[in-house]
Amino acid sequence: MVISITAPQKGMGPTQNAINLSAMLTRLIKGKVLLGDITKFSKDLEYYFSDTHALKGLDSLISLVEAGLLREDNFDSCVKSINPELDILIANECFELNRYIIDKIISFSEKIYDVIVFDTISGNNVLTQHFLEKSDVIVVVLNQYKNVVDMAVGNHMYKEFADKIVFVLNRFRDDINLKYSDVREILRSKGYDGEVFTISYDVSMINECNDHSVLNFILNKGMKTSTVHEEMVLLTDFLLKNYGKGIPVSYTH
């Protein structure tokens, strides 16, 4: 299963959601997850996992593809193992992605990993569009401001893939700005009938992000009673049941 995480603009929290979703997937499936970053000018995964000394990443994969040397047995030399179930692939810095390289990377990844999660470039972007095309499901991260929701429904790329989009209202608080029902009504009025999930505002999770230990929020057993943890279970479970056919599930969360 290939999942792309995106947003109508930067700052919505797509990377945080990509990390939390990938971590939750490792708790719910019997298999391996790859979390990849294509945000060349932000390199957010490298920022959050800076203490893991992640090197090479997409640059190494691109050079192997261009040289015709990419194989299943050398793919793992380009990724960083975070734990036995989760690898990360950091963004390119020197070489450029194109459709041919993206297709090769995804086809090889699918032979090795049960789920691949891509943190894509926000807004209208040609590379992001190709990742959306290749994805089984797209998670679009929003907030509760009307201009952001309007930006999402006006995005021509999202309209093209409306049938496989799931929306997430990130850092949700029901007492500010648009209500959940307001957002859902706006989306449905514009032809988006997909599910809308909320990930609540949680100071503990924000603190985990600030000290680069964001994975702890999902993987630390002490977080199992939090609202955000329960919401991540609901989102991940929905994606697996509706788009992850054939993926072995453990449900040991």
Side-chain angles (χ1 to χ4, degrees):
M1 176 168 65
V2 179
I3 305 171
S4 282
I5 314 289
T6 193
Q9 67 178 28
K10 276 189 65 65
M12 301 296 98
T15 300
Q16 166 208 312
N17 276 271
I19 293 170
N20 283 336
L21 176 61
S22 299
M24 185 59 74
L25 281 161
T26 67
R27 302 194 71 151
L28 299 189
I29 70 170
K30 298 175 181 177
K32 290 200 68 174
V33 177
L34 175 66
L35 171 57
D37 185 359
I38 72 159
T39 58
K40 177 178 179 179
F41 299 106
S42 298
K43 298 191 285 187
D44 292 334
L45 282 192
E46 192 170 5
Y47 168 79
Y48 280 116
F49 294 99
S50 60
D51 60 342
T52 63
H53 306 294
L55 301 172
K56 301 179 181 177
L58 270 176
D59 279 335
S60 291
L61 274 181
I62 293 169
S63 63
L64 286 173
V65 171
E66 290 183 335
L69 298 174
L70 181 61
R71 305 183 306 272
E72 288 184 54
D73 62 357
N74 64 16
F75 189 99
D76 63 355
S77 68
C78 305
V79 301
K80 175 67 181 181
S81 177
I82 301 302
N83 61 40
E85 293 81 33
L86 177 63
D87 292 343
I88 64 169
L89 176 66
I90 65 169
N92 50 312
E93 186 172 343
C94 302
F95 300 109
E96 298 298 330
L97 284 166
N98 58 44
R99 281 177 172 263
Y100 172 75
I101 291 170
I102 292 169
D103 290 347
K104 282 288 187 182
I105 289 171
I106 290 177
S107 66
F108 270 86
S109 299
E110 288 182 306
K111 296 174 184 176
I112 302 167
Y113 299 92
D114 298 278
V115 185
I116 304 105
V117 179
F118 288 110
D119 182 21
T120 69
I121 302 167
S122 299
N124 288 307
N125 180 275
V126 173
L127 288 178
T128 294
Q129 183 171 12
H130 194 57
F131 276 96
L132 301 191
E133 289 172 2
K134 302 293 289 186
S135 296
D136 297 299
V137 58
I138 302 159
V139 176
V140 176
V141 182
L142 307 174
N143 64 21
Q144 293 167 255
Y145 288 98
K146 188 175 185 303
N147 67 308
V148 172
V149 180
D150 288 342
M151 199 182 303
V153 298
N155 187 306
H156 66 84
M157 288 195 311
Y158 298 168
K159 290 179 180 178
E160 183 179 351
F161 307 114
D163 60 332
K164 58 179 181 179
I165 284 181
V166 172
F167 290 96
V168 168
L169 291 178
N170 191 40
R171 297 178 184 172
F172 178 76
R173 288 176 57 180
D174 207 27
D175 59 339
I176 61 169
N177 304 314
L178 294 177
K179 307 293 184 186
Y180 174 85
S181 57
D182 298 330
V183 175
R184 195 177 184 91
E185 183 178 341
I186 293 171
L187 293 172
R188 289 194 168 177
S189 71
K190 299 297 183 179
Y192 293 96
D193 298 320
E195 292 296 316
V196 181
F197 290 85
T198 60
I199 303 298
S200 297
Y201 179 86
D202 190 300
V203 173
S204 298
M205 180 172 65
I206 294 170
N207 288 339
E208 294 285 359
C209 293
N210 289 341
D211 67 7
H212 292 199
S213 56
V214 63
L215 273 178
N216 289 344
F217 193 83
I218 297 300
L219 300 181
N220 185 332
K221 293 180 180 178
M223 297 298 179
K224 287 178 118 180
T225 58
S226 73
T227 300
V228 170
H229 194 283
E230 294 173 0
E231 291 170 335
M232 286 303 306
V233 170
L234 289 174
L235 170 62
T236 310
D237 183 61
F238 175 85
L239 297 178
L240 286 170
K241 286 180 176 177
N242 289 274
Y243 301 96
K245 293 179 175 60
I247 296 176
V249 178
S250 63
Y251 289 97
T252 59
H253 58 283

